[in-house]
C-alpha cells in the first residue's frame, strides 16, 4: 500500500486507459499525482474521485508551455517531482505509405515523440536539482517489431525507445532513471476505438485480443500500471535505459498455435549412426 509513499508524479494521458489505471494505482500506493490530459471532463472526474491526492490539468502534450505547466503544478502543490509518466498517445495516421498526408505524419510524430520529449525536457531540471527521479515513457511493441501497428505510429514508438536510451545515458550521473514500457495489445479506448464513448463498449470491440499472444486473455491497463509502479518506486533504483515489454508474449515470436502441425506432432528423433 505504501510503495510510493510521499512520492509525486505527473501522468500525461492520465485520464483514460493505461494512464488512468496508473493514476489509480499510484494513489493507492501513497503517491500524489497530476493527471495531465486533453480530455477535461474525464480527467476532472477522475481527479475528484481520487480526492486530495490528485489534481487535473488540461494539457495538449504538443504544447511546450502546457507540459511545463503540469510539472509546475506538481511542484507548486507538493514541492517536488519524483516521477513523470509520459504516456499520452493515440493511433495516429493510418494507411499505405503513398497515401499518408504530410501534415498527419507531422501531427502523429508531434503527439507521440515531441510530447514525450517535452515531458523529459521539463522534468529533468526539477529531478536533477532534487538529486534523482524516474522518467517513464510509453512506447509499444510496435516500436520493436514491424507490422504491429501503423507505419508512422511504429516509427514514433521506435523513436521513443531510442530517445529513452539516449537520455538515460545522460541523466544516470544525476540518479535520474529513464525507461520505456512497451505494451502489447491492451484493452483501452485507444485500441478498441471507443475514445470519447463509454468504457463499457471496450469489451465488445476486443474479441480478438484473447488470441493475439501466448497468454490467452486481453492485456489490461492494470498490467502496464504494475510495471509503471515498479519503475516509479525505489525498488527499481538501479534500472535505467531499458525498454521493457508487457505483452503476454505477443512480440516474442511465432505463437505455438501458428506453428502448424509440423511442431505439434511428436516424432521420435532418428539419429544417424554410421555402422
Ligand atoms: P487511451 O486513449 O485510453 O488513453 C490515452 C490518453 O492520452 C487519453 O486520455 C487521451 O485524451 C490522451 N491524449 C491523447 N493525445 C493527447 C495529446 N495530444 N495531449 C494530451 N493528452 C492526449 O489509450 P491507451 O491505450 O491507454 O494509450 C496510452 C499509451 O499507451 C499511448 O501512448 C499508446 O500509444 C500506448 N500504447 C497502447 C497500447 C494499447 O494496445 N492500448 C499498446 C501499446 C502502446
Amino acid at each position: 500500500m505504501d510503495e510510493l509513499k510521499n512520492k509525486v508524479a505527473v501522468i500525461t494521458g492520465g485520464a483514460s486507459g493505461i494512464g488512468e489505471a496508473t493514476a489509480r494505482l499510484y494513489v493507492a500506493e501513497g503517491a500524489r499525482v497530476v493527471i495531465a490530459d486533453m480530455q477535461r471532463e474525464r480527467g476532472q472526474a477522475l481527479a475528484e474521485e481520487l480526492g486530495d491526492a490528485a489534481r487535473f490539468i488540461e494539457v495538449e502534450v504538443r504544447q511546450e508551455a502546457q507540459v511545463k505547466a503540469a510539472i509546475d503544478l506538481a511542484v507548486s502543490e507538493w514541492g517536488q517531482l519524483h516521477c513523470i509518466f509520459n504516456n499520452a498517445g493515440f493511433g495516429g495516421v493510418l494507411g499505405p505509405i503513398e497515401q499518408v498526408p504530410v501534415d498527419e505524419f507531422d501531427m502523429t510524430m508531434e503527439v507521440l515523440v515531441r510530447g514525450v520529449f517535452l515531458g523529459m525536457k521539463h522534468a529533468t531540471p526539477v529531478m536533477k536539482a532534487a538529486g534523482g527521479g524516474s522518467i517513464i515513457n510509453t512506447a509499444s511493441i510496435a516500436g520493436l517489431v514491424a507490422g504491429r501497428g501503423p507505419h508512422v505510429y511504429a516509427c514514433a514508438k521506435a523513436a521513443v525507445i531510442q530517445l529513452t536510451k539516449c537520455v538515460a545515458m545522460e541523466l544516470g550521473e544525476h540518479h535520474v532513471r529513464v525507461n520505456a514500457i512497451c505494451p502489447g495489445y491492451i484493452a483501452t479506448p485507444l485500441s478498441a476505438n471507443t475514445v470519447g464513448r463509454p468504457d463499457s463498449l471496450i469489451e465488445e470491440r476486443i474479441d480478438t485480443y484473447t488470441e493475439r499472444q501466448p497468454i490467452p486473455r486481453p492485456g489490461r491497463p492494470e498490467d502496464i500500471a504494475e510495471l509503471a509502479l515498479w519503475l516509479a518506486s525505489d525498488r527499481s533504483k538501479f534500472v535505467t535505459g531499458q525498454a521493457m515489454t508487457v505483452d503476454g508474449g505477443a512480440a516474442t515470436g511465432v505463437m505455438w498455435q501458428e506453428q502448424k502441425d509440423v511442431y505439434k506432432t511428436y516424432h521420435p528423433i532418428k539419429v544417424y549412426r554410421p555402422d
Side-chain angles (χ1 to χ4, degrees):
M1 289 296 284
D2 284 338
E3 286 289 329
L4 299 183
K5 194 165 182 222
N6 298 325
K7 298 234 189 261
V8 175
V10 169
I11 303 176
T12 72
S16 171
I18 291 167
E20 176 184 344
T22 304
R24 289 182 185 282
L25 187 58
Y26 278 17
V27 168
E29 292 291 344
R32 286 152 294 174
V33 298
V34 169
I35 296 160
D37 203 294
M38 65 194 301
Q39 290 195 70
R40 190 191 312 146
E41 232 174 83
R42 207 175 152 130
Q44 267 171 350
L46 178 62
E48 271 166 37
E49 185 192 326
L50 295 176
D52 260 1
R55 300 283 183 275
F56 170 74
I57 181 168
E58 190 172 338
V59 166
E60 158 58 73
V61 294
R62 293 183 289 160
Q63 300 296 332
E64 181 165 20
Q66 295 183 24
V67 173
K68 184 174 183 308
I71 290 158
D72 289 348
L73 178 63
V75 175
S76 66
E77 286 287 316
W78 297 304
Q80 48 202 332
L81 179 72
H82 300 98
C83 169
I84 184 163
F85 187 21
N86 296 304
N87 164 76
F90 73 139
V93 63
L94 308 172
I97 195 70
E98 69 206 64
Q99 290 172 17
V100 173
V102 171
D103 57 343
E104 293 189 28
F105 173 92
D106 290 344
M107 207 269 221
T108 304
M109 296 298 280
E110 278 180 19
V111 174
L112 297 178
V113 185
R114 177 181 158 131
V116 169
F117 152 72
L118 290 173
M120 292 206 277
K121 175 179 173 178
H122 289 287
T124 291
V126 183
M127 291 180 176
K128 271 165 83 169
S134 175
I135 296 175
I136 310 167
N137 300 322
T138 304
S140 168
I141 58 169
L144 295 170
V145 286
R148 296 284 182 173
H151 300 342
V152 185
Y153 178 87
C155 155
K157 293 302 189 179
V160 168
I161 292 168
Q162 194 65 355
L163 192 56
T164 299
K165 293 180 180 179
C166 293
V167 178
M169 296 302 98
E170 179 190 341
L171 298 183
E173 67 173 299
H174 302 283
H175 301 277
V176 177
R177 302 181 294 107
V178 192
N179 293 287
I181 300 180
C182 300
Y185 300 102
I186 310 299
T188 68
L190 185 161
S191 57
N193 203 14
T194 62
V195 174
R197 288 185 280 160
D199 279 358
S200 53
L201 287 174
I202 294 173
E203 297 308 313
E204 295 169 20
R205 311 285 291 268
I206 55 153
D207 46 334
T208 61
Y209 274 39
T210 300
E211 297 115 48
R212 290 195 175 188
Q213 61 281 310
I215 295 179
R217 69 163 174 83
R220 297 290 175 190
E222 293 75 17
D223 294 317
I224 309 304
E226 288 292 345
L227 179 57
L229 168 63
W230 185 73
L231 286 172
S233 80
D234 293 337
R235 287 182 185 253
S236 58
K237 57 180 178 285
F238 203 51
V239 177
T240 196
Q242 302 303 305
M244 306 177 94
T245 300
V246 182
D247 69 344
T252 301
V254 178
M255 298 250 299
W256 179 243
Q257 290 83 342
E258 290 167 23
Q259 293 178 36
K260 307 274 188 246
D261 297 334
V262 174
Y263 304 122
K264 280 189 173 170
T265 315
Y266 172 71
H267 295 295
I269 298 170
K270 293 190 180 73
V271 180
Y272 173 72
R273 286 200 182 83
D275 294 331

